[in-house]
Protein backbone atom coordinates (compact mmCIF):
# COMPACT_ATOMS: atom_id res chain seq x y z
CA UNK A 1 0.00 0.00 0.00
CA UNK A 2 2.88 2.34 0.82
CA UNK A 3 4.47 1.60 -2.55
CA UNK A 4 1.25 2.49 -4.34
CA UNK A 5 0.96 5.77 -2.43
CA UNK A 6 4.59 6.61 -3.08
CA UNK A 7 4.20 5.88 -6.78
CA UNK A 8 1.07 8.04 -6.99
CA UNK A 9 2.83 10.92 -5.24
CA UNK A 10 5.81 10.60 -7.61
CA UNK A 11 3.54 10.67 -10.66
CA UNK A 12 1.74 13.72 -9.28
CA UNK A 13 5.04 15.56 -8.75
CA UNK A 14 6.22 14.68 -12.26
CA UNK A 15 2.96 15.98 -13.74
CA UNK A 16 3.39 19.25 -11.87
CA UNK A 17 6.99 19.60 -13.01
CA UNK A 18 6.15 18.87 -16.64
CA UNK A 19 3.06 21.08 -16.75
CA UNK A 20 4.60 24.11 -15.06
CA UNK A 21 6.67 25.29 -18.08
CA UNK A 22 3.61 24.94 -20.30
CA UNK A 23 1.41 26.89 -17.92
CA UNK A 24 3.99 29.61 -17.30
CA UNK A 25 3.34 31.34 -20.60
CA UNK A 26 0.79 33.67 -22.12
CA UNK A 27 0.04 34.43 -25.73
CA UNK A 28 -1.24 37.80 -26.89
CA UNK A 29 -1.82 36.89 -30.51
CA UNK A 30 1.67 36.69 -32.05
CA UNK A 31 3.36 37.91 -28.84
CA UNK A 32 4.51 35.05 -26.58
CA UNK A 33 5.33 35.80 -22.92
CA UNK A 34 6.71 33.06 -20.68
CA UNK A 35 6.92 35.40 -17.67
CA UNK A 36 3.14 35.97 -17.56
CA UNK A 37 3.93 39.38 -16.05
CA UNK A 38 4.00 41.71 -19.08
CA UNK A 39 0.32 41.71 -19.96
CA UNK A 40 -1.36 45.00 -20.86
CA UNK A 41 -4.31 46.10 -22.96
CA UNK A 42 -2.00 47.80 -25.46
CA UNK A 43 0.25 44.77 -25.76
CA UNK A 44 -2.77 42.54 -26.40
CA UNK A 45 -4.01 44.92 -29.08
CA UNK A 46 -0.59 44.85 -30.73
CA UNK A 47 -0.38 41.07 -30.68
CA UNK A 48 -3.94 40.29 -31.74
CA UNK A 49 -4.62 43.10 -34.22
CA UNK A 50 -1.79 45.45 -35.17
CA UNK A 51 0.96 42.92 -35.95
CA UNK A 52 -1.27 40.39 -37.80
CA UNK A 53 -2.80 43.14 -39.97
CA UNK A 54 0.63 44.62 -40.76
CA UNK A 55 1.96 41.13 -41.51
CA UNK A 56 -0.69 40.64 -44.16
CA UNK A 57 -0.06 44.05 -45.67
CA UNK A 58 3.70 43.55 -45.89
CA UNK A 59 3.67 39.80 -46.56
CA UNK A 60 6.06 39.52 -43.63
CA UNK A 61 5.45 37.56 -40.42
CA UNK A 62 6.04 39.72 -37.33
CA UNK A 63 6.44 37.96 -33.97
CA UNK A 64 7.76 38.56 -30.45
CA UNK A 65 9.00 35.91 -27.99
CA UNK A 66 9.83 36.66 -24.34
CA UNK A 67 11.59 33.56 -22.94
CA UNK A 68 12.69 32.47 -19.51
CA UNK A 69 14.81 29.58 -20.83
CA UNK A 70 17.13 29.36 -23.86
CA UNK A 71 19.45 26.71 -25.22
CA UNK A 72 23.16 26.57 -24.44
CA UNK A 73 24.15 28.33 -27.67
CA UNK A 74 22.52 31.60 -26.68
CA UNK A 75 19.53 33.74 -27.58
CA UNK A 76 20.36 34.05 -31.29
CA UNK A 77 20.49 30.31 -31.83
CA UNK A 78 17.29 29.91 -29.78
CA UNK A 79 15.50 32.52 -31.93
CA UNK A 80 16.52 30.73 -35.13
CA UNK A 81 15.40 27.36 -33.74
CA UNK A 82 12.00 28.75 -32.74
CA UNK A 83 11.54 30.31 -36.17
CA UNK A 84 12.27 27.08 -38.01
CA UNK A 85 10.65 24.57 -35.64
CA UNK A 86 7.38 26.45 -35.05
CA UNK A 87 6.70 27.33 -38.70
CA UNK A 88 7.20 31.06 -38.39
CA UNK A 89 7.19 33.01 -41.62
CA UNK A 90 4.77 34.29 -44.25
CA UNK A 91 4.12 32.92 -47.74
CA UNK A 92 6.05 30.29 -49.66
CA UNK A 93 9.41 31.81 -48.68
CA UNK A 94 8.49 31.89 -44.95
CA UNK A 95 9.57 35.52 -44.73
CA UNK A 96 9.39 37.16 -41.35
CA UNK A 97 10.90 39.02 -38.41
CA UNK A 98 11.08 37.85 -34.81
CA UNK A 99 12.14 39.81 -31.74
CA UNK A 100 13.40 37.46 -29.02
CA UNK A 101 14.06 38.58 -25.43
CA UNK A 102 15.58 36.44 -22.67
CA UNK A 103 14.65 37.25 -19.05
CA UNK A 104 16.09 35.29 -16.11
CA UNK A 105 13.94 34.41 -13.07
CA UNK A 106 14.79 36.36 -9.91
CA UNK A 107 14.52 35.30 -6.30
CA UNK A 108 11.63 37.67 -5.68
CA UNK A 109 9.55 36.08 -8.45
CA UNK A 110 10.22 38.74 -11.08
CA UNK A 111 12.27 38.48 -14.28
CA UNK A 112 15.25 40.52 -15.42
CA UNK A 113 17.58 40.96 -18.38
CA UNK A 114 21.07 40.36 -17.06
CA UNK A 115 22.96 41.45 -20.18
CA UNK A 116 22.46 43.88 -23.03
CA UNK A 117 23.03 40.92 -25.35
CA UNK A 118 20.06 38.95 -24.04
CA UNK A 119 17.86 39.92 -26.95
CA UNK A 120 18.09 39.67 -30.72
CA UNK A 121 16.29 40.29 -34.00
CA UNK A 122 16.03 37.38 -36.44
CA UNK A 123 15.02 38.05 -40.07
CA UNK A 124 14.32 35.77 -43.00
CA UNK A 125 13.79 37.63 -46.27
CA UNK A 126 13.93 36.55 -49.91
CA UNK A 127 16.65 38.12 -52.05
CA UNK A 128 14.02 39.63 -54.34
CA UNK A 129 12.71 41.77 -51.48
CA UNK A 130 15.99 42.79 -49.90
CA UNK A 131 18.73 41.73 -47.50
CA UNK A 132 17.91 39.80 -44.34
CA UNK A 133 20.98 41.14 -42.55
CA UNK A 134 20.28 44.72 -43.58
CA UNK A 135 16.70 44.56 -42.33
CA UNK A 136 17.82 42.88 -39.09
CA UNK A 137 20.31 45.71 -38.46
CA UNK A 138 17.70 48.39 -39.18
CA UNK A 139 15.18 46.84 -36.81
CA UNK A 140 17.82 46.26 -34.11
CA UNK A 141 18.84 49.94 -34.25
CA UNK A 142 15.18 50.96 -33.97
CA UNK A 143 14.52 48.65 -31.00
CA UNK A 144 17.80 49.36 -29.17
CA UNK A 145 16.52 52.40 -27.15
CA UNK A 146 13.72 50.21 -25.75
CA UNK A 147 16.18 47.68 -24.36
CA UNK A 148 17.91 49.75 -21.69
CA UNK A 149 18.74 47.50 -18.72
CA UNK A 150 17.12 49.82 -16.19
CA UNK A 151 13.75 49.03 -17.78
CA UNK A 152 14.39 45.29 -17.59
CA UNK A 153 16.11 44.86 -14.20
CA UNK A 154 13.08 43.24 -12.55
CA UNK A 155 12.41 46.11 -10.17
CA UNK A 156 9.30 47.21 -12.07
CA UNK A 157 7.62 44.75 -14.42
CA UNK A 158 5.21 47.48 -15.52
CA UNK A 159 8.20 49.42 -16.87
CA UNK A 160 9.30 46.27 -18.70
CA UNK A 161 5.83 45.92 -20.19
CA UNK A 162 5.92 49.54 -21.40
CA UNK A 163 9.38 49.04 -22.86
CA UNK A 164 8.17 45.94 -24.71
CA UNK A 165 5.23 47.87 -26.12
CA UNK A 166 7.57 50.56 -27.44
CA UNK A 167 9.86 47.88 -28.88
CA UNK A 168 6.98 46.30 -30.80
CA UNK A 169 6.03 49.69 -32.24
CA UNK A 170 9.63 50.38 -33.25
CA UNK A 171 9.95 46.98 -34.91
CA UNK A 172 6.69 47.51 -36.84
CA UNK A 173 7.62 50.98 -38.11
CA UNK A 174 11.12 49.91 -39.19
CA UNK A 175 9.88 46.79 -40.99
CA UNK A 176 7.13 48.71 -42.78
CA UNK A 177 9.51 51.47 -43.89
CA UNK A 178 12.01 48.95 -45.29
CA UNK A 179 9.52 46.76 -47.17
CA UNK A 180 7.56 49.70 -48.62
CA UNK A 181 10.73 51.65 -49.40
CA UNK A 182 9.59 54.71 -47.45
CA UNK A 183 12.12 56.09 -44.95
CA UNK A 184 10.60 56.72 -41.55
CA UNK A 185 9.86 60.37 -40.91
CA UNK A 186 10.05 61.30 -44.61
CA UNK A 187 7.32 63.87 -44.09
CA UNK A 188 9.46 65.76 -41.58
CA UNK A 189 12.52 65.61 -43.84
CA UNK A 190 10.82 67.77 -46.44
CA UNK A 191 9.69 70.28 -43.85
CA UNK A 192 6.05 69.33 -44.03
CA UNK A 193 4.04 68.57 -40.94
CA UNK A 194 2.33 65.26 -40.43
CA UNK A 195 -1.44 65.49 -40.91
CA UNK A 196 -3.57 65.71 -37.81
CA UNK A 197 -5.27 62.40 -36.98
CA UNK A 198 -8.99 62.38 -37.58
CA UNK A 199 -11.48 62.14 -34.73
CA UNK A 200 -12.58 58.77 -36.05
CA UNK A 201 -9.09 57.34 -35.70
CA UNK A 202 -9.17 58.03 -31.99
CA UNK A 203 -12.03 55.62 -31.36
CA UNK A 204 -11.03 52.62 -29.22
CA UNK A 205 -9.70 49.86 -31.43
CA UNK A 206 -10.07 51.98 -34.58
CA UNK A 207 -6.42 51.78 -35.65
CA UNK A 208 -6.75 50.38 -39.17
CA UNK A 209 -3.92 52.11 -41.04
CA UNK A 210 -3.36 49.73 -43.94
CA UNK A 211 -6.44 49.24 -46.07
CA UNK A 212 -7.30 45.68 -47.03
CA UNK A 213 -10.13 44.48 -49.22
CA UNK A 214 -10.73 41.44 -47.01
CA UNK A 215 -9.94 41.79 -43.31
CA UNK A 216 -10.23 38.84 -40.95
CA UNK A 217 -9.65 40.03 -37.41
CA UNK A 218 -11.30 36.93 -35.91
CA UNK A 219 -9.06 34.44 -37.71
CA UNK A 220 -11.89 32.36 -39.21
CA UNK A 221 -9.99 32.13 -42.52
CA UNK A 222 -6.76 30.26 -43.09
CA UNK A 223 -3.84 32.18 -44.55
CA UNK A 224 -4.32 30.48 -47.91
CA UNK A 225 -8.05 31.30 -47.95
CA UNK A 226 -7.40 34.93 -47.04
CA UNK A 227 -4.77 35.37 -49.74
CA UNK A 228 -7.14 33.93 -52.35
CA UNK A 229 -10.08 36.11 -51.29
CA UNK A 230 -7.95 39.25 -50.93
CA UNK A 231 -6.58 38.78 -54.44
CA UNK A 232 -10.06 38.23 -55.86
CA UNK A 233 -11.53 41.29 -54.10
CA UNK A 234 -8.66 43.48 -55.24
CA UNK A 235 -9.03 42.30 -58.84
CA UNK A 236 -12.79 43.01 -58.88
CA UNK A 237 -12.32 46.42 -57.27
CA UNK A 238 -9.67 47.57 -59.70
CA UNK A 239 -11.52 46.14 -62.71
CA UNK A 240 -14.70 48.12 -61.98
CA UNK A 241 -13.12 51.01 -60.06
CA UNK A 242 -15.52 50.27 -57.21
CA UNK A 243 -14.05 49.15 -53.89
CA UNK A 244 -15.46 45.78 -52.80
CA UNK A 245 -14.66 45.16 -49.12
CA UNK A 246 -15.43 42.46 -46.57
CA UNK A 247 -14.42 42.89 -42.92
CA UNK A 248 -14.78 40.37 -40.09
CA UNK A 249 -14.28 41.72 -36.56
CA UNK A 250 -14.68 40.27 -33.09
CA UNK A 251 -16.87 43.05 -31.73
CA UNK A 252 -18.02 46.04 -33.79
CA UNK A 253 -18.55 48.15 -30.65
CA UNK A 254 -14.75 48.46 -30.32
CA UNK A 255 -14.73 50.52 -33.51
CA UNK A 256 -17.27 53.17 -32.52
CA UNK A 257 -20.59 54.02 -30.95
CA UNK A 258 -24.03 53.22 -32.34
CA UNK A 259 -25.56 50.25 -34.11
CA UNK A 260 -23.61 47.97 -36.43
CA UNK A 261 -24.73 49.93 -39.51
CA UNK A 262 -23.56 53.23 -37.98
CA UNK A 263 -20.16 51.75 -37.13
CA UNK A 264 -19.81 50.30 -40.63
CA UNK A 265 -20.35 53.72 -42.21
CA UNK A 266 -17.88 55.19 -39.73
CA UNK A 267 -15.24 52.64 -40.73
CA UNK A 268 -15.89 53.30 -44.43
CA UNK A 269 -15.42 57.05 -44.09
CA UNK A 270 -12.84 56.90 -41.30
CA UNK A 271 -10.22 55.12 -43.42
CA UNK A 272 -11.34 56.58 -46.77
CA UNK A 273 -12.54 53.40 -48.41
CA UNK A 274 -13.82 53.50 -51.98
CA UNK A 275 -12.21 54.18 -55.35
CA UNK A 276 -12.28 57.18 -57.67
CA UNK A 277 -13.21 60.77 -56.93
CA UNK A 278 -16.67 59.68 -55.73
CA UNK A 279 -15.16 56.94 -53.50
CA UNK A 280 -17.50 54.31 -54.97
CA UNK A 281 -17.58 51.17 -52.90
CA UNK A 282 -19.49 48.52 -50.98
CA UNK A 283 -18.57 46.96 -47.64
CA UNK A 284 -20.03 44.12 -45.61
CA UNK A 285 -19.06 43.92 -41.94
CA UNK A 286 -19.52 40.81 -39.78
CA UNK A 287 -19.27 41.14 -35.99
CA UNK A 288 -18.75 37.71 -34.44
CA UNK A 289 -19.63 38.49 -30.81
CA UNK A 290 -23.39 38.85 -31.34
CA UNK A 291 -23.44 37.71 -35.01
CA UNK A 292 -24.34 41.17 -36.30
CA UNK A 293 -23.75 42.29 -39.85
CA UNK A 294 -24.20 45.40 -41.97
CA UNK A 295 -23.90 46.33 -45.65
CA UNK A 296 -23.05 49.87 -46.72
CA UNK A 297 -22.98 51.21 -50.29
CA UNK A 298 -21.50 54.59 -51.17
CA UNK A 299 -20.98 56.57 -54.37
CA UNK A 300 -23.22 57.37 -57.33
CA UNK A 301 -22.26 54.41 -59.52
CA UNK A 302 -22.11 51.96 -56.62
CA UNK A 303 -25.63 52.93 -55.53
CA UNK A 304 -26.77 52.56 -59.16
CA UNK A 305 -25.38 49.03 -59.26
CA UNK A 306 -26.60 48.13 -55.77
CA UNK A 307 -29.96 49.82 -55.19
CA UNK A 308 -32.27 48.66 -52.40
CA UNK A 309 -33.50 45.72 -54.47
CA UNK A 310 -29.95 44.83 -55.55
CA UNK A 311 -28.77 44.91 -51.93
CA UNK A 312 -31.54 42.56 -50.90
CA UNK A 313 -30.74 40.08 -53.68
CA UNK A 314 -27.00 40.35 -52.97
CA UNK A 315 -27.68 39.53 -49.33
CA UNK A 316 -29.43 36.32 -50.38
CA UNK A 317 -26.25 35.19 -52.16
CA UNK A 318 -24.12 34.90 -49.03
CA UNK A 319 -26.07 35.27 -45.77
CA UNK A 320 -27.15 31.64 -45.59
CA UNK A 321 -23.50 30.49 -45.79
CA UNK A 322 -22.55 32.61 -42.78
CA UNK A 323 -25.50 31.20 -40.86
CA UNK A 324 -23.82 27.80 -41.15
CA UNK A 325 -20.31 29.23 -40.48
CA UNK A 326 -19.15 28.57 -44.05
CA UNK A 327 -17.03 31.72 -44.24
CA UNK A 328 -14.95 31.18 -47.36
CA UNK A 329 -17.91 30.07 -49.48
CA UNK A 330 -20.02 33.00 -48.26
CA UNK A 331 -17.34 35.59 -49.04
CA UNK A 332 -16.71 33.96 -52.42
CA UNK A 333 -20.42 34.21 -53.27
CA UNK A 334 -20.41 37.84 -52.13
CA UNK A 335 -17.44 38.74 -54.34
CA UNK A 336 -18.75 36.85 -57.39
CA UNK A 337 -22.19 38.44 -57.09
CA UNK A 338 -20.69 41.91 -56.71
CA UNK A 339 -18.67 41.31 -59.87
CA UNK A 340 -21.84 40.22 -61.71
CA UNK A 341 -23.92 43.21 -60.55
CA UNK A 342 -21.18 45.72 -61.38
CA UNK A 343 -20.76 44.24 -64.86
CA UNK A 344 -24.50 44.54 -65.52
CA UNK A 345 -24.51 48.12 -64.28
CA UNK A 346 -21.65 49.00 -66.63
CA UNK A 347 -23.70 47.57 -69.50
CA UNK A 348 -26.63 49.77 -68.53
CA UNK A 349 -28.65 46.79 -67.29
CA UNK A 350 -28.49 46.96 -63.48
CA UNK A 351 -30.24 44.34 -61.39
CA UNK A 352 -33.84 45.43 -61.01
CA UNK A 353 -37.13 43.64 -60.23
CA UNK A 354 -38.85 42.10 -63.31
CA UNK A 355 -41.97 44.03 -64.51
CA UNK A 356 -43.72 41.42 -66.71
CA UNK A 357 -45.33 39.52 -63.79
CA UNK A 358 -47.00 42.77 -62.72
CA UNK A 359 -48.22 43.43 -66.28
CA UNK A 360 -49.74 39.95 -66.51
CA UNK A 361 -51.34 40.28 -63.10
CA UNK A 362 -52.86 43.69 -63.88
CA UNK A 363 -54.13 42.48 -67.27
CA UNK A 364 -55.78 39.46 -65.71
CA UNK A 365 -57.28 41.54 -62.93
CA UNK A 366 -58.69 44.03 -65.47
CA UNK A 367 -60.28 41.24 -67.49
CA UNK A 368 -61.80 39.76 -64.36
CA UNK A 369 -63.33 43.09 -63.28
CA UNK A 370 -64.71 43.82 -66.77
CA UNK A 371 -66.19 40.34 -67.06
CA UNK A 372 -67.86 40.62 -63.69
CA UNK A 373 -69.47 43.95 -64.61
CA UNK A 374 -70.80 42.56 -67.89
CA UNK A 375 -72.36 39.55 -66.17
CA UNK A 376 -74.09 41.77 -63.59
CA UNK A 377 -75.54 44.06 -66.29
CA UNK A 378 -76.76 41.15 -68.37
CA UNK A 379 -78.62 39.68 -65.40
CA UNK A 380 -80.48 42.97 -64.84
CA UNK A 381 -81.79 43.23 -68.43
CA UNK A 382 -85.47 42.24 -69.03
CA UNK A 383 -86.65 40.17 -71.98
CA UNK A 384 -88.08 42.36 -74.80
CA UNK A 385 -89.98 41.55 -78.04
CA UNK A 386 -90.09 43.52 -81.27
CA UNK A 387 -93.53 45.08 -82.10
CA UNK A 388 -94.88 44.79 -85.63
CA UNK A 389 -96.88 48.08 -85.55
CA UNK A 390 -95.52 51.59 -85.04
CA UNK A 391 -98.34 52.77 -82.78
CA UNK A 392 -97.33 50.19 -80.26
CA UNK A 393 -94.36 52.39 -79.41
CA UNK A 394 -96.45 55.53 -78.85
CA UNK A 395 -97.22 56.34 -75.23
CA UNK A 396 -100.78 56.92 -74.05
CA UNK A 397 -101.93 60.46 -74.81
CA UNK A 398 -100.31 60.66 -78.20
CA UNK A 399 -97.12 62.23 -79.51
CA UNK A 400 -96.79 65.91 -80.18
CA UNK A 401 -93.65 67.36 -81.89
CA UNK A 402 -92.82 71.05 -82.32
CA UNK A 403 -89.97 72.80 -84.11
CA UNK A 404 -86.49 72.05 -82.68
CA UNK A 405 -83.30 73.97 -83.27
CA UNK A 406 -79.59 73.36 -82.37
CA UNK A 407 -77.63 76.57 -81.76
CA UNK A 408 -73.82 76.70 -80.97
CA UNK A 409 -72.96 79.02 -78.12
CA UNK A 410 -69.43 78.31 -76.77
CA UNK A 411 -66.81 75.66 -75.83
CA UNK A 412 -65.35 75.25 -72.30
CA UNK A 413 -61.72 74.03 -72.02
CA UNK A 414 -60.15 73.02 -68.69
CA UNK A 415 -56.38 72.68 -68.16
CA UNK A 416 -54.60 71.10 -65.13
CA UNK A 417 -50.93 71.71 -64.30
CA UNK A 418 -48.94 68.46 -63.82
CA UNK A 419 -46.48 68.73 -60.92
CA UNK A 420 -43.13 66.83 -60.92
CA UNK A 421 -42.45 64.39 -58.09
CA UNK A 422 -39.90 65.60 -55.52
CA UNK A 423 -37.22 63.31 -54.01
CA UNK A 424 -35.47 63.58 -50.67
CA UNK A 425 -32.43 61.55 -51.79
CA UNK A 426 -29.39 62.90 -53.58
CA UNK A 427 -27.25 61.15 -56.16
CA UNK A 428 -24.30 59.57 -54.38
CA UNK A 429 -25.27 61.32 -51.13
CA UNK A 430 -25.04 59.68 -47.74
CA UNK A 431 -25.01 56.11 -48.98
CA UNK A 432 -27.43 53.29 -48.22
CA UNK A 433 -27.39 49.76 -46.88
CA UNK A 434 -28.83 47.02 -44.73
CA UNK A 435 -28.15 45.37 -41.39
CA UNK A 436 -29.29 42.43 -39.31
CA UNK A 437 -28.15 39.08 -37.88
CA UNK A 438 -26.50 36.11 -39.52
Amino acid sequence: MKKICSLSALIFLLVLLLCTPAMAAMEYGVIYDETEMLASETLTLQGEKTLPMLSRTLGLDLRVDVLTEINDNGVIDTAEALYENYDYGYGEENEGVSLTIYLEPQDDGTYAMSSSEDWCVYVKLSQERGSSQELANIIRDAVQPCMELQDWDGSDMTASSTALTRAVDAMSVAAEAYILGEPAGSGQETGTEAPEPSDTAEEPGFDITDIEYVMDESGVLSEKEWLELESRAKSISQSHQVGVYFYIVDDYTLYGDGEVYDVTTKIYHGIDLGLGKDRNGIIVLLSMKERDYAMFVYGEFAEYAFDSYGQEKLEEAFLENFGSNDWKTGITHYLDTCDEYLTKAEEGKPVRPAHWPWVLMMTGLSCLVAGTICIVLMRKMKTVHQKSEVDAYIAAGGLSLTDQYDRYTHTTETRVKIEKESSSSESGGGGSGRSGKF
Side-chain angles (χ1 to χ4, degrees):
M1 185 66 181
K2 289 184 179 181
K3 290 184 178 180
I4 295 177
C5 294
S6 300
L7 182 60
S8 300
L10 179 60
I11 293 175
F12 179 72
L13 290 174
L14 288 174
V15 169
L16 287 178
L17 290 174
L18 292 174
C19 291
T20 300
M23 291 187 295
M26 293 184 67
E27 292 187 22
Y28 324 109
V30 294
I31 299 178
Y32 178 78
D33 171 28
E34 284 190 347
T35 70
E36 291 191 315
M37 300 183 71
L38 301 175
S40 71
E41 184 176 345
T42 303
L43 196 66
T44 301
L45 182 64
Q46 288 177 322
E48 294 181 351
K49 297 181 180 179
T50 306
L51 290 184
M53 290 176 61
L54 186 58
S55 294
R56 289 176 174 176
T57 302
L58 303 179
L60 191 73
D61 194 12
L62 300 172
R63 292 178 178 269
V64 177
D65 291 307
V66 180
L67 308 177
T68 58
E69 293 183 3
I70 59 176
N71 62 35
D72 296 336
N73 295 326
V75 66
I76 297 178
D77 188 73
T78 301
E80 183 177 0
L82 284 174
Y83 195 98
E84 299 299 333
N85 295 334
Y86 286 89
D87 296 325
Y88 286 9
Y90 197 94
E92 296 181 356
E93 300 290 335
N94 292 329
E95 297 176 291
V97 176
S98 69
L99 171 62
T100 304
I101 302 171
Y102 171 50
L103 300 180
E104 295 183 17
Q106 305 298 298
D107 295 337
D108 60 357
T110 61
Y111 295 86
M113 185 186 298
S114 60
S115 168
S116 59
E117 299 300 321
D118 282 347
W119 67 278
C120 73
V121 176
Y122 181 80
V123 176
K124 186 174 183 180
L125 194 65
S126 63
Q127 293 182 352
E128 292 78 9
R129 303 186 70 187
S131 167
S132 298
Q133 187 60 55
E134 181 182 12
L135 178 55
N137 292 338
I138 290 174
I139 294 178
R140 182 176 177 84
D141 290 341
V143 173
Q144 179 74 56
C146 309
M147 292 296 159
E148 299 294 336
L149 290 180
Q150 63 264 26
D151 293 329
W152 299 89
D153 60 4
S155 61
D156 186 355
M157 295 304 294
T158 301
S160 299
S161 176
T162 302
L164 179 59
T165 300
R166 291 189 289 109
V168 173
D169 283 337
M171 177 182 72
S172 303
V173 172
E176 183 177 16
Y178 183 86
I179 295 299
L180 298 181
E182 301 174 356
S186 57
Q188 283 70 21
E189 291 175 5
T190 59
T192 60
E193 295 183 359
E196 291 292 331
S198 64
D199 294 337
T200 309
E202 295 176 0
E203 294 286 349
F206 195 80
D207 59 347
I208 303 175
T209 56
D210 299 288
I211 296 175
E212 299 175 342
Y213 290 96
V214 177
M215 185 190 77
D216 175 25
E217 178 190 279
S218 295
V220 298
L221 300 172
S222 67
E223 181 179 317
K224 181 179 180 181
E225 290 174 337
W226 176 82
L227 286 171
E228 179 182 335
L229 294 170
E230 172 72 6
S231 176
R232 174 69 174 142
K234 184 177 181 180
S235 175
I236 294 172
S237 300
Q238 294 180 347
S239 174
H240 299 287
Q241 281 301 291
V242 175
V244 179
Y245 308 96
F246 198 100
Y247 284 7
I248 305 175
V249 299
D250 292 322
D251 183 3
Y252 77 87
T253 61
L254 297 176
Y255 291 83
D257 298 327
E259 300 297 328
V260 62
Y261 178 79
D262 301 323
V263 173
T264 303
T265 62
K266 184 176 294 187
I267 291 176
Y268 190 95
H269 293 301
I271 55 178
D272 291 328
L273 295 180
L275 299 180
K277 63 178 182 179
D278 295 330
R279 293 179 51 224
N280 282 284
I282 178 173
I283 180 175
V284 167
L285 177 76
L286 298 188
S287 179
M288 304 301 288
K289 183 178 180 180
E290 299 292 339
R291 299 183 75 88
D292 297 291
Y293 90 96
M295 178 192 302
F296 178 64
V297 180
Y298 186 80
E300 183 175 359
F301 180 72
E303 292 187 76
Y304 171 70
F306 304 101
D307 69 346
S308 58
Y309 176 79
Q311 293 170 21
E312 182 178 352
K313 300 304 290 184
L314 173 61
E315 180 184 271
E316 294 176 2
F318 62 82
L319 209 56
E320 184 177 349
N321 296 118
F322 298 142
S324 57
N325 297 336
D326 191 355
W327 314 112
K328 182 180 183 297
T329 302
I331 300 175
T332 300
H333 288 168
Y334 163 74
L335 296 177
D336 291 344
T337 307
C338 284
D339 188 21
E340 176 189 349
Y341 285 19
L342 289 169
T343 300
K344 290 182 177 180
E346 289 170 347
E347 296 172 349
K349 302 176 182 178
V351 176
R352 297 291 186 268
H355 296 295
W356 62 265
W358 290 97
V359 174
L360 291 179
M361 185 177 70
M362 294 304 296
T363 301
L365 184 60
S366 299
C367 292
L368 179 62
V369 172
T372 302
I373 293 174
C374 290
I375 293 173
V376 172
L377 292 177
M378 289 176 64
R379 286 183 176 179
K380 290 184 177 181
M381 293 178 64
K382 296 181 178 180
T383 304
V384 297
H385 299 281
Q386 185 177 6
K387 300 295 183 178
S388 58
E389 298 178 357
V390 177
D391 60 358
Y393 292 94
I394 299 176
L399 176 65
S400 177
L401 296 176
T402 61
D403 292 339
Q404 295 181 357
Y405 299 93
D406 291 327
R407 293 182 180 179
Y408 174 81
T409 59
H410 64 277
T411 300
T412 301
E413 181 178 352
T414 302
R415 297 184 179 182
V416 179
K417 182 180 178 180
I418 299 177
E419 301 287 347
K420 293 183 178 180
E421 284 189 0
S422 62
S423 175
S424 60
S425 62
E426 296 180 0
S427 179
S432 61
R434 301 169 62 83
S435 64
K437 298 283 187 178
F438 64 90

